[in-house]
Amino acid sequence: MKLSIVTINRNNAEGLRKTLDSVACQTWHDFEHIIVDGASTDCSVEYIQEYADKSHPYSVLWLSETDSGVYDAMNKGVSISNGEYLIFMNSGDCFASNTVLENIERLLSETKIIAGDAAFSDNSKRFEAPDLFLPRTLLNSGICHQAEFIHRSLFSILGTYSLDYKVLSDFEFNMKASCMKVSYQKVDLLIALVEPGGLSNTLLDEMKVEGDRILKNCLPKGVIADYEIWNNQKTFGHPCVEWAVNKKWPLMFMKLLYKVFKYG
């Protein structure tokens, strides 16, 4: 099986219905749909049961039980998945068109991470995937998990999402993957429409704290310090470094710094 679509939900029946309808409308069907419900008390379970009982050209697996949060539920989806790739399309999120998977399936081969764009469903903002998959680019432009296809082998190598983070565990996963220089491809395609007001949009203070922890855990201290100087002042003072930055080579400079502090 080529793809597992994982949807997590808790007490968001109307958003869940939108997501289920979006998956059902896809024109390519070599996937399974895994729904992980967190013991919802609204009518979510009834919607899921109704959806699972219908005849689909793909398989539907689901469970409903208590969990310890978003990433615990996502990890449950990973643990029961069978697809070569995984994408997390949570309740309220939708594919941007009925042909998204048809347009992307030819790329689902050996590349470890394939990412496209996401946008708020009200069209108020678009989130573009970075051109390069490096710590520096992820700091400036993260990847929305709703627009990211992850090869399942990465979960064996890196482990599943850490439960130490409430908001940015998927960012930590990508940061660790980027430090390993895994293969990556950006696609110029709008993959997903996401609901405004998700965790990462409402817990901004928590994001800052978690982001700082992730950087300290994933990157050498020297890289973090030099990045902060460059990001805040856009200058390093040394003429050779200034030349590299002015030539728009900060990514190369970050890679050099990483090697120096890791192996020097």
Side-chain angles (χ1 to χ4, degrees):
M1 183 177 296
K2 186 62 69 174
L3 178 67
S4 296
I5 302 171
V6 178
T7 297
I8 68 167
N9 173 76
R10 176 166 169 76
N11 290 333
N12 184 20
E14 291 308 312
L16 177 63
R17 184 187 286 275
K18 287 170 49 181
T19 305
L20 301 183
D21 289 344
S22 172
V23 172
C25 288
Q26 289 300 298
T27 55
W28 178 81
H29 304 122
D30 188 14
F31 64 83
E32 64 182 358
H33 192 187
I34 297 172
I35 306 161
V36 181
D37 179 73
S40 292
T41 55
D42 62 1
C43 54
S44 292
V45 174
E46 287 81 357
Y47 284 174
I48 297 170
Q49 184 68 66
E50 177 185 343
Y51 174 76
D53 288 343
K54 291 180 180 178
S55 177
H56 299 285
Y58 52 88
S59 60
V60 177
L61 304 174
W62 69 279
L63 58 88
S64 181
E65 61 187 29
T66 57
D67 56 56
S68 60
V70 170
Y71 294 110
D72 184 31
M74 292 169 70
N75 288 342
K76 289 182 180 183
V78 174
S79 68
I80 62 174
S81 66
N82 301 288
E84 184 179 347
Y85 284 84
L86 293 92
I87 185 172
F88 296 89
M89 192 68 64
N90 296 337
S91 62
D93 303 327
C94 302
F95 287 108
S97 75
N98 296 346
T99 59
V100 166
L101 296 183
E102 181 180 341
N103 291 330
I104 209 79
E105 61 90 13
R106 62 183 175 81
L107 302 176
L108 302 179
S109 55
E110 297 298 325
T111 304
K112 297 305 183 185
I113 292 181
I114 301 164
D117 297 347
F120 281 148
S121 54
D122 61 5
N123 294 315
S124 61
K125 188 173 183 179
R126 182 162 177 148
F127 305 91
E128 295 186 2
D131 293 323
L132 300 175
F133 192 66
L134 299 169
R136 164 72 167 79
T137 57
L138 291 177
L139 287 170
N140 287 336
S141 176
I143 300 174
C144 294
H145 63 73
Q146 301 93 331
E148 180 179 24
F149 299 84
I150 304 172
H151 197 281
R152 71 176 304 105
S153 62
L154 285 184
F155 290 103
S156 298
I157 297 170
L158 299 175
T160 53
Y161 294 114
S162 172
L163 302 186
D164 293 334
Y165 304 102
K166 184 185 296 185
V167 185
L168 292 181
S169 192
D170 52 326
F171 172 73
E172 186 220 28
F173 184 93
N174 283 336
M175 185 63 74
K176 291 192 296 184
S178 71
C179 290
M180 290 178 54
K181 300 180 180 178
V182 304
S183 56
Y184 169 81
Q185 182 172 355
K186 174 187 175 177
V187 292
D188 292 320
L189 181 68
L190 183 61
I191 303 293
L193 300 177
V194 304
E195 286 190 333
L199 280 178
S200 60
N201 291 300
T202 56
L203 299 177
L204 298 181
D205 291 340
E206 190 81 19
M207 283 184 65
K208 178 65 169 63
V209 173
E210 291 188 2
D212 288 345
R213 286 175 56 200
I214 290 168
L215 293 184
K216 290 177 182 178
N217 290 337
C218 292
L219 298 178
K221 292 181 180 179
V223 172
I224 298 171
D226 283 336
Y227 169 77
E228 289 176 346
I229 294 172
W230 180 83
N231 192 48
N232 292 331
Q233 302 177 9
K234 298 297 186 291
T235 180
F236 281 101
H238 193 285
C240 292
V241 176
E242 293 292 347
W243 177 80
V245 172
N246 290 334
K247 289 290 185 180
K248 301 186 184 303
W249 289 352
L251 297 180
M252 185 180 297
F253 181 64
M254 283 294 291
K255 292 174 69 175
L256 175 62
L257 281 176
Y258 183 76
K259 289 180 180 179
V260 168
F261 283 99
K262 183 175 182 180
Y263 301 111

